[in-house]
Amino acid sequence: MKICFVADNRNRKNWGCRATSIALKDLLSSKYTISDTIYGDLTFSYDFYSYTGEKFQNSFKFKFFSRIPFVYKFFFRNIASFIDFKTEKSLSSFFKIKSDFEPLKTLDNKIQSADAVVLNGEGSFIFSLPERYDTKFYLFIIALAKHYKKKIFLLNAMFSPGASLEINQDMICEAKKILSYCDIITARDPLSFQFFKEHLGDKVTFVPDALFSWKKVIPQYLNCSKDFPLVGIPTPELDSYWKDFIPYNQYICISGSSLAPRHKGKAISTFINLVTELKKKWNVVLLATCAGDSFLEIVAKETSTKFIPVETNLFFGTSILAQSQVFISGRWHPSILASLCGTPCVFLKSNSHKTRALPIMLDNPLKTEFSCFPNTDDIQDISIEVEHSIANKHQISNLYKKNIEQYCQIIENFKLD
């Protein structure tokens, strides 16, 4: 069976997107032939350059009018945009313009040439207000695959309300109709499985996130940040990295949350307070595990704290987590990476139910989900949980290990046919 793999997100500045895309693709390629790939630059959001391609951008017509900002803004900016709230309209618009733009024509050919389409669901099905672009794009791909009579597998997906538990009912209705075209749908966590059953139908199976399969991959990289600290320096090398990149012998790690970038100023001020307080007891390393965590670099400078940028090597970043005493985060996949290394996690709220789901999956004895804009009381409680996690690290690590073994077994036994 030849598969077109949709939403390989390793080209995004996001540790989780990179890691789970690789993990899921490796699992599939061990059993099936992946004939083509559609990357996240097309699926995540509309980008003029990714959608139109070099052929259009190099044309005389575009080059001439692009020199006139007014004309470009109103006539060319959305020229290749076709995604709509209504999936059938997306499909109709796509067929009208696909021949004009090489990337869209290529996308169409990849779907046509495959026997089956696999969508890497990740965190795309968050039914928030307003609706997410990637959710609409996924529904379009499913409809396109259905049009060409291909098998359709939506794997590794989260299905969740938005951060404030609001549910976009219009999007639910649209998704319920289109998702019925899928041959197999897997939910990556029990809360997503439950949400799907309550709102979207019965055609769903619980298969833990593909990243849990990295239990077999990670051990060989556990010590690289300690033994070879400069390996993690991204390119281009900044002078400051050579001086400050090496982490402490003992430290705790903090990353951001998918909610924090929505209020960057508030995130900076509250994280400065959090880091300042925690540094009274522990060494702290700040990790930007996603482009949205970039505000942590400002926090690092303001608090004289070591900082690891999102561009660092993925396995080096995992090793940083492995050597950490505790990981404080509102990020799903980085928290899985930490858990695979036996590092206890303290969870911050996110844009979905993911940081409520993971403690349940791991049997984490500390299931509190703290604000991603922690106030004074939150900071005191986080400090208490960090202290408890360090004191009980061996017990927590064993709980993680037991559940991860179970999840690996489920993942290995899962098949598309």
Side-chain angles (χ1 to χ4, degrees):
M1 181 167 62
K2 293 193 303 181
I3 287 173
C4 179
F5 185 80
V6 179
D8 186 327
N9 293 316
R10 72 183 73 195
N11 57 356
R12 288 172 54 190
K13 288 187 176 182
N14 184 308
W15 289 14
C17 288
R18 288 150 62 189
T20 196
S21 294
I22 296 168
L24 180 58
K25 202 169 186 181
D26 283 350
L27 287 166
L28 290 168
S29 61
S30 68
K31 299 176 182 178
Y32 311 99
T33 300
I34 297 179
S35 56
D36 281 303
T37 299
I38 295 170
Y39 288 92
D41 56 338
L42 288 178
T43 65
F44 184 66
S45 61
Y46 173 72
D47 177 76
F48 170 82
Y49 292 96
S50 297
Y51 275 57
T52 58
E54 291 184 10
K55 186 176 180 180
F56 173 82
Q57 294 157 38
N58 290 334
S59 69
F60 172 79
K61 185 177 180 180
F62 172 72
K63 283 188 172 182
F64 176 79
F65 284 111
S66 65
R67 296 172 185 172
I68 310 173
F70 179 86
V71 173
Y72 165 71
K73 182 177 181 180
F74 288 97
F75 291 97
F76 285 101
R77 183 181 60 180
N78 295 318
I79 196 169
S81 179
F82 62 91
I83 292 296
D84 188 82
F85 176 83
K86 291 294 183 181
T87 309
E88 290 304 320
K89 187 173 179 181
S90 296
L91 196 63
S92 174
S93 298
F94 175 77
F95 284 134
K96 288 177 183 176
I97 68 170
K98 67 172 184 175
S99 298
D100 297 330
F101 305 105
E102 201 63 37
L104 303 188
K105 187 161 55 175
T106 300
L107 181 153
D108 190 60
N109 290 337
K110 287 179 177 180
I111 300 296
Q112 285 195 62
S113 301
D115 300 314
V117 172
V118 168
L119 288 90
N120 170 23
E122 285 212 34
S124 296
F125 286 91
I126 302 175
F127 293 91
S128 56
L129 296 164
E131 67 274 3
R132 290 169 59 107
Y133 185 92
D134 52 357
T135 306
K136 294 184 289 185
F137 191 98
Y138 275 33
L139 297 179
F140 153 73
I141 282 287
I142 293 170
L144 182 63
K146 172 74 171 176
H147 173 81
Y148 288 126
K149 298 180 173 57
K150 307 299 179 181
K151 286 186 173 296
I152 308 164
F153 307 110
L154 171 58
L155 308 182
N156 217 53
M158 178 178 70
F159 303 96
S160 173
S164 58
L165 301 182
E166 84 275 13
I167 298 177
N168 188 331
Q169 292 295 342
D170 290 336
M171 202 67 213
I172 286 283
C173 291
E174 186 69 11
K176 189 172 183 177
K177 177 179 67 175
I178 303 301
L179 291 177
S180 67
Y181 302 160
C182 295
D183 294 275
I184 292 176
I185 299 172
T186 69
R188 71 183 189 180
D189 67 83
L191 294 187
S192 292
F193 177 78
Q194 179 183 335
F195 182 92
F196 192 102
K197 298 278 279 188
E198 290 178 1
H199 299 280
L200 295 164
D202 295 320
K203 191 192 289 187
V204 65
T205 304
F206 168 55
V207 178
D209 195 291
L211 190 54
F212 283 108
S213 68
W214 269 17
K215 171 185 168 290
K216 297 179 179 179
V217 177
I218 282 176
Q220 58 191 308
Y221 300 102
L222 289 178
N223 295 321
C224 72
S225 66
K226 181 173 64 175
D227 297 340
F228 309 101
L230 295 183
V231 168
I233 295 176
T235 302
E237 295 89 343
L238 301 179
D239 290 342
S240 59
Y241 287 161
W242 290 96
K243 179 181 178 182
D244 299 326
F245 212 70
I246 301 173
Y248 305 99
N249 289 328
Q250 285 193 324
Y251 56 90
I252 64 173
C253 282
I254 303 175
S255 76
S257 160
S258 47
L259 270 183
R262 298 183 185 182
H263 306 281
K264 187 174 178 180
K266 186 177 181 181
I268 290 170
S269 61
T270 54
F271 270 74
I272 285 175
N273 293 338
L274 174 65
V275 171
T276 300
E277 188 63 30
L278 294 181
K279 285 182 74 172
K280 293 177 181 178
K281 295 182 180 180
W282 302 284
N283 295 318
V284 173
V285 175
L286 295 175
L287 303 180
T289 63
C290 171
D293 289 348
S294 60
F295 73 92
L296 290 175
E297 187 167 12
I298 299 172
V299 175
K301 289 176 181 176
E302 291 293 323
T303 59
S304 300
T305 303
K306 293 185 184 294
F307 173 75
I308 307 295
V310 67
E311 294 86 357
T312 195
N313 179 282
L314 184 56
F315 290 114
F316 181 88
T318 302
S319 177
I320 292 286
L321 292 171
Q323 301 301 322
S324 178
Q325 295 171 286
V326 175
F327 182 41
I328 302 170
S329 176
R331 298 287 181 184
W332 166 265
H333 287 113
S335 296
I336 292 178
L337 290 173
S339 305
L340 290 171
C341 301
T343 300
C345 297
V346 174
F347 296 95
L348 307 177
K349 288 184 179 179
S350 71
N351 65 347
S352 61
H353 64 213
K354 55 193 170 191
T355 43
R356 286 187 286 116
L358 193 54
I360 295 170
M361 294 180 72
L362 295 171
D363 277 343
N364 191 320
L366 305 171
K367 292 185 172 64
T368 307
E369 189 186 32
F370 293 102
S371 171
C372 64
F373 307 108
N375 58 29
T376 301
D377 290 340
D378 291 327
I379 291 171
Q380 289 179 352
D381 290 339
I382 289 171
S383 180
I384 291 170
E385 290 217 4
V386 169
E387 197 159 8
H388 181 89
S389 297
I390 292 173
N392 296 277
K393 183 173 182 178
H394 182 70
Q395 175 191 354
I396 294 171
S397 179
N398 284 338
L399 282 173
Y400 288 180
K401 183 178 179 181
K402 179 189 72 173
N403 289 283
I404 289 167
E405 291 281 358
Q406 171 192 344
Y407 297 147
C408 284
Q409 196 67 40
I410 296 172
I411 292 168
E412 288 176 3
N413 291 336
F414 177 75
K415 294 181 180 179
L416 296 179
D417 44 14

